[in-house]
Amino acid sequence: MKIEDQSLGFTYEIWNYPAETLKTKCWGTNPYQRDMLRFYEIGQIENFVFESCTTPSFTFAEMLTNLKVRHLRFHSEMVDFINPVLFENLPYLTYLDLSKNLLKSMPSNFFDSITNITKFLIKENKLENLPEDLFVKLKLDLIDFNNNQLESLPEKIFERQFDLISLDLSKNKLASLPEHIFDDLKSLKNLELSDNKITFIFPKAFYDKMIQEEKTFDAFICFHPDDIEVVTELSKELESKDPFYTLCIHNCEMVPGNTGSTNNLLSMRESRKIIVIINVVNLYENRFSIECQAIYKKILEEYMSRLIIIIKGDLPDESSLNPCIKQLLRIKSHLKWKERWFWEKLRYELPHKKKKGPKTLTQPSTIVEEEV
């Protein structure tokens, strides 16, 4: 249904799909009066769309008071400020779209009264900066900042947004991103950064996101029995010093009825990182080659960033290497055992963990001395 009111200078339409929706096109006038809806029972409406309307006033808030408004879109192309007080009586609101306006900033208390918002769109505005605590009271699954004037982002702007699935930051003026800005985005599937001025991204900005999901172990260590001393030293350093890491050392978590190879794959699946110790002396061991192929297949199926390679000894000429080892070294750089700054480099490659202070002594990891 479409209704025009020439005397007031606006038109509005009502749809029944996907829910009762009112679309108002104001042509630059102020439609925020209850009598504008005299042709329809607005108590049934859940979705409101306003286009080309003037700045919302308190009559706008009065009009929507006590309604179960769930979706609200306000596309004005002339509004440069919206008072958050206007949303105080919209407790059911979950979707807010403020795109196509002239907004340059947002107050930190903007969402104080609409804490059930899960989807927030504010594309095609003039936003230049954002407060760090803007989303602190929300649990969002979609944020769209497309086509604004953002030059930087606060490091904690997305803190605790564990449910965020889609984030659009494209068409801004971003030159870089804070190192830990995405650390809490455990559910993120879609990230758009195109058409910015980004020249540098901290290596861990995305790296941590891919490996910080809930896992049983921080790292799975694959080794040859000849390198038990290396593994023992790794365990002592990583499990006994803050920040503490939980390691799965070869088949330390045996599952009854599974073969060693199957159990290795299960353990790797439950590990954030896979540490492969390659002793040059054992490069041509047939059993190691089989294990190497299994790990390589796992990396391709999951995340290449999970792999950490530690080389013990000096590598021979590449032409003489086992093909599988050669492929591993080509796709991933490696650490050399006991090289300068070895422990610092290794901890950098491992998942970031905050220091927790003194640790209560626990039983060390079990090392299964079964040939790999």
Side-chain angles (χ1 to χ4, degrees):
M1 176 172 66
K2 180 177 181 179
I3 298 174
E4 292 192 30
D5 192 320
Q6 299 294 339
S7 62
L8 294 177
F10 61 80
T11 65
Y12 63 90
E13 303 175 33
I14 296 172
W15 295 281
N16 293 90
Y17 181 83
E20 291 296 312
T21 301
L22 171 71
K23 179 179 179 181
T24 303
K25 191 151 189 175
C26 308
W27 308 107
T29 62
N30 187 335
Y32 311 120
Q33 305 138 19
R34 282 188 174 274
D35 62 355
M36 69 168 282
L37 301 171
R38 60 184 179 272
F39 300 106
Y40 196 78
E41 175 55 56
I42 67 171
Q44 305 298 318
I45 298 176
E46 294 183 355
N47 303 334
F48 285 78
V49 179
F50 294 92
E51 292 185 359
S52 303
C53 300
T54 56
T55 302
S57 63
F58 286 99
T59 56
F60 165 83
E62 291 173 4
M63 182 184 73
L64 301 181
T65 297
N66 300 322
L67 298 181
K68 291 186 177 180
V69 181
R70 301 184 187 279
H71 289 211
L72 177 59
R73 300 183 185 184
F74 191 89
H75 304 166
S76 170
E77 300 178 352
M78 62 184 74
V79 171
D80 59 7
F81 175 76
I82 296 179
N83 193 328
V85 175
L86 299 175
F87 303 120
E88 283 186 350
N89 295 310
L90 300 177
Y92 300 98
L93 193 63
T94 61
Y95 181 104
L96 180 60
D97 186 350
L98 299 178
S99 301
K100 297 182 179 179
N101 292 296
L102 300 174
L103 301 173
K104 293 184 178 181
S105 62
M106 298 188 71
S108 59
N109 66 337
F110 190 86
F111 294 103
D112 280 4
S113 60
I114 45 174
T115 57
N116 289 319
I117 295 290
T118 60
K119 293 177 172 58
F120 177 57
L121 298 85
I122 191 167
K123 56 186 179 181
E124 297 182 45
N125 275 270
K126 305 293 183 182
L127 291 175
E128 298 175 353
N129 54 72
L130 298 169
E132 188 170 67
D133 56 351
L134 179 62
F135 301 130
V136 70
K137 295 185 178 181
L138 304 182
K139 293 183 179 180
L140 295 159
D141 58 52
L142 181 148
I143 300 174
D144 192 343
F145 284 118
N146 170 270
N147 202 355
N148 277 276
Q149 306 294 319
L150 296 171
E151 296 184 359
S152 63
L153 292 171
E155 185 163 52
K156 296 183 179 180
I157 182 71
F158 304 125
E159 188 174 50
R160 302 191 66 77
Q161 292 301 321
F162 303 123
D163 299 325
L164 190 64
I165 296 174
S166 181
L167 174 60
D168 193 338
L169 296 168
S170 61
K171 295 184 179 180
N172 279 278
K173 297 181 178 180
L174 297 172
S176 63
L177 295 169
E179 183 173 6
H180 301 293
I181 191 169
F182 301 131
D183 279 6
D184 286 346
L185 306 188
K186 299 181 182 296
S187 301
L188 191 65
K189 302 296 182 184
N190 305 307
L191 175 63
E192 181 60 67
L193 294 170
S194 61
D195 293 321
N196 276 284
K197 298 181 179 180
I198 297 175
T199 58
F200 174 78
I201 296 178
F202 283 97
K204 294 267 182 174
F206 302 107
Y207 173 86
D208 272 0
K209 164 63 190 69
M210 295 192 294
I211 62 172
Q212 291 287 13
E213 66 267 33
E214 292 299 322
K215 297 291 183 182
T216 305
F217 309 104
D218 291 312
F220 172 91
I221 300 181
C222 176
F223 69 102
H224 189 279
D226 290 351
D227 298 314
I228 190 67
E229 292 183 2
V230 174
V231 175
T232 301
E233 192 165 348
L234 285 173
S235 175
K236 181 179 179 181
E237 176 72 22
L238 298 177
E239 293 190 305
S240 302
K241 295 183 179 180
D242 200 359
F244 307 104
Y245 290 91
T246 303
L247 306 178
C248 177
I249 300 176
H250 190 36
N251 288 340
C252 61
E253 299 293 330
M254 293 295 293
V255 179
N258 282 300
T259 64
S261 178
T262 301
N263 189 65
N264 280 340
L265 293 175
L266 291 174
S267 297
M268 284 189 285
R269 189 176 294 118
E270 283 303 312
S271 302
R272 294 187 177 104
K273 298 294 291 185
I274 300 170
I275 299 176
V276 177
I277 301 172
I278 299 178
N279 190 329
V280 174
V281 176
N282 299 314
L283 280 179
Y284 302 101
E285 291 284 337
N286 291 332
R287 192 78 182 277
F288 184 84
S289 298
I290 294 173
E291 186 71 13
C292 171
Q293 293 171 23
I295 293 174
Y296 185 50
K297 182 175 183 294
K298 178 66 176 176
I299 294 168
L300 290 177
E301 291 175 350
E302 298 288 339
Y303 309 101
M304 286 188 181
S305 62
R306 289 194 180 194
L307 180 64
I308 299 174
I309 299 176
I310 298 176
I311 301 292
K312 183 181 179 183
D314 296 322
L315 287 170
D317 184 80
E318 184 177 305
S319 61
S320 62
L321 291 176
N322 176 287
C324 183
I325 299 293
K326 189 184 299 184
Q327 287 176 309
L328 281 175
L329 295 176
R330 281 178 176 175
I331 66 170
K332 194 72 177 179
S333 59
H334 58 270
L335 302 177
K336 188 171 182 179
W337 176 243
K338 287 301 183 71
E339 66 179 320
R340 189 180 183 187
W341 308 115
F342 172 80
W343 295 112
E344 289 79 4
K345 292 179 181 178
L346 178 59
R347 287 183 179 276
Y348 183 81
E349 292 293 330
L350 288 166
H352 277 179
K353 303 189 76 172
K354 294 181 179 179
K355 291 191 175 184
K356 298 180 179 180
K359 180 183 179 183
T360 303
L361 291 178
T362 57
Q363 183 177 354
S365 298
T366 302
I367 300 177
V368 180
E369 297 189 32
E370 177 186 355
E371 189 171 301
V372 178

